Amino acid sequence: VVAVVPPIEELDLVGPLQVFATTNRLAASGQEAYECEVVTSRLDRRIDGESGLRMVAHHHYRVAPRSPDSLLVVCGVSARHCRDPHFLKWLEQRCGRTRRVGAVCVAAFLLASAGVLRSRRATVHWKYAGELKRCYPDLSVDPNPIWVRDGHIYTSAGIAAGIDLALAWVEQDHGSAVALAVARELVLFLRRPGGQDQCSVTLSAQAAETTAIHALQVWMTEHLDAPLTIEQLAARAAMSPRTLARAFARQLGVAPAKYLARLRVEAARRLLEQTDKGLEQIAGACGFGRADVMRRAFARALGTTPARYRQYFHRPEELRAHDRSPFPIEP
DNA sequence: CGGGGGTCCCGCCATT
DNA sequence: TAAATGGCGGGACCCC
């Protein structure tokens, strides 16, 4: 169920819906993976979009299915301080009984207002991070990631990040291969490469530096198997190591070696998910050198080991219950 | 698991 | 004068 408090940014609603619809289309014929129902707080069911579209929800929220599997909340900037007690009460009750609850963008304000986010970790569109923190001081608001999971509650940075959140749900429900297929169908990244910081591109930086760093990012992903040193990277970008470090910090919010380490883990995840190559081979292909180095990198970045990571995707039923649950898909 | 040796990173400062 | 650059050293981190 997608609960909408209009007016909204169209993409906040349509983006996630598109992801679920595409998943259905790609899923095995005959059975639908997701059955989406859009409900709204307005009695006339009208949903106005900030860009001028007029949409009609399926139902008023009071006649929504009794217990949906997942609940996604979408609201626009002007509706973030909605104080409709009935709706907030409904939200609170639903959140208690629903397997998974997500907020797109400033809908995090509604969850907080309904008392659902109490002292949890959350994110929101970077423009509203400060306000969210001020209104609800017990929250730990992190404005950097594109989405955050705390328990069964997900919050996202909004606009396009709602799509990333929906993809993460698809990945959780149907595995990485399906999510990857959906992302490909929609011409999206399954996981945005390297840091997922909301502002990675928006920080003001000179255009020349921006393209130089971007070119280097691309080159790095294509040469992960080489033993890349900071000095080599700096030479390739025609900068001193010190300047390179500063440029990375400005644009990506990460130091060069840290970024490289992330790329290597990402590449290894893909190979583990999509091939049955041996661990030593994957470690070599991703620039770890040996499998034990890769293992340590996984422990640091994901809190698991390469073997268990792969097992989760291929034969999850063989994992013991306590191995299964806290799988860190979170970016 | 621990320690030695190496790499990296960030604050600081002189220089451009 | 303001801003960017590059070098240096201590400290953190990681590989072996």
Side-chain angles (χ1 to χ4, degrees):
Chain A
V1 163
V2 184
V4 178
V5 182
I8 58 163
E9 299 289 344
E10 283 89 338
L11 195 53
D12 280 348
L13 169 62
V14 175
L17 287 179
Q18 177 72 61
V19 169
F20 296 128
T22 300
T23 306
N24 283 344
R25 187 150 18 92
L26 294 183
S29 58
Q31 57 184 29
E32 295 217 321
Y34 296 98
E35 197 177 324
C36 292
E37 196 154 331
V38 178
V39 304
T40 178
S41 53
R42 281 175 64 121
L43 280 170
D44 62 3
R45 297 184 293 142
R46 208 173 90 172
I47 299 175
D48 289 348
E50 302 281 6
S51 309
L53 288 185
R54 300 275 175 276
M55 296 163 279
V56 180
H58 297 117
H59 296 295
H60 186 257
Y61 69 88
R62 293 199 196 194
V63 290
R66 183 157 288 227
S67 53
D69 171 74
S70 305
L71 175 66
L72 191 64
V73 186
V74 177
C75 92
V77 166
S78 57
R80 70 185 183 282
H81 293 304
C82 153
R83 286 281 178 270
D84 178 348
H86 293 105
F87 180 73
L88 293 178
K89 185 77 185 163
W90 177 84
L91 207 52
E92 184 193 358
Q93 287 176 348
R94 278 305 139 100
C95 289
R97 289 189 237 134
T98 306
R99 177 171 70 100
R100 206 167 43 181
V101 178
V104 178
C105 193
V106 292
F109 280 88
L110 296 186
L111 291 187
S113 177
V116 177
L117 280 181
R118 207 172 298 286
S119 69
R120 286 183 188 265
R121 260 175 18 94
T123 191
V124 72
H125 190 287
W126 52 273
K127 274 191 193 168
Y128 298 95
E131 185 185 332
L132 183 62
K133 181 72 189 165
R134 276 195 304 280
C135 295
Y136 304 95
D138 61 317
L139 294 191
S140 106
V141 180
D142 185 348
N144 289 320
I146 52 180
W147 57 270
V148 161
R149 171 189 180 181
D150 186 337
H152 72 305
I153 309 279
Y154 296 68
T155 47
S156 73
I159 318 290
I163 296 174
D164 292 275
L165 179 57
L167 271 175
W169 283 11
V170 170
E171 183 171 22
Q172 192 184 40
D173 296 338
H174 303 284
S176 173
V178 172
L180 188 66
V182 172
R184 213 174 260 145
E185 185 79 8
L186 297 176
V187 200
L188 293 166
F189 287 113
L190 172 57
R191 284 185 281 272
R192 301 185 194 185
Q196 291 86 2
D197 287 8
Q198 292 182 24
C199 293
S200 54
V201 199
T202 63
L203 288 181
S204 65
Q206 288 162 17
E209 181 182 281
T210 304
T211 55
I213 294 296
H214 190 252
L216 191 60
Q217 286 179 270
V218 173
W219 187 85
M220 285 165 77
T221 55
E222 287 167 358
H223 297 84
L224 282 183
D225 54 326
L228 307 175
T229 67
I230 299 305
E231 209 155 331
Q232 284 173 352
L233 295 176
R236 178 156 283 277
M239 298 177 191
S240 71
R242 188 68 187 89
T243 301
L244 182 74
R246 272 197 278 252
F248 259 76
R250 263 198 299 268
Q251 276 187 63
L252 307 176
V254 187
K258 280 241 161 53
Y259 179 80
L260 178 60
R262 282 200 206 168
L263 282 186
R264 291 194 155 132
V265 172
E266 286 298 310
R269 286 174 73 160
R270 292 246 157 79
L271 289 179
L272 287 167
E273 292 165 18
Q274 291 159 32
T275 72
D276 50 8
K277 293 186 206 288
L279 297 188
E280 285 289 347
Q281 200 183 344
I282 292 177
C286 300
F288 290 110
R290 320 228 113 266
D292 66 306
V293 178
M294 174 165 76
R295 201 178 64 77
R296 283 171 221 263
F298 263 62
R300 279 192 300 273
L302 306 172
T304 186
T305 70
R308 280 177 53 174
Y309 184 87
R310 169 175 271 168
Q311 198 179 8
Y312 177 87
F313 280 100
H314 293 316
R315 292 191 306 277
E317 68 281 2
E318 287 180 21
L319 289 175
R320 282 159 303 177
H322 70 272
D323 287 343
R324 203 178 315 162
S325 48
F327 174 72
I329 321 181
E330 215 170 306

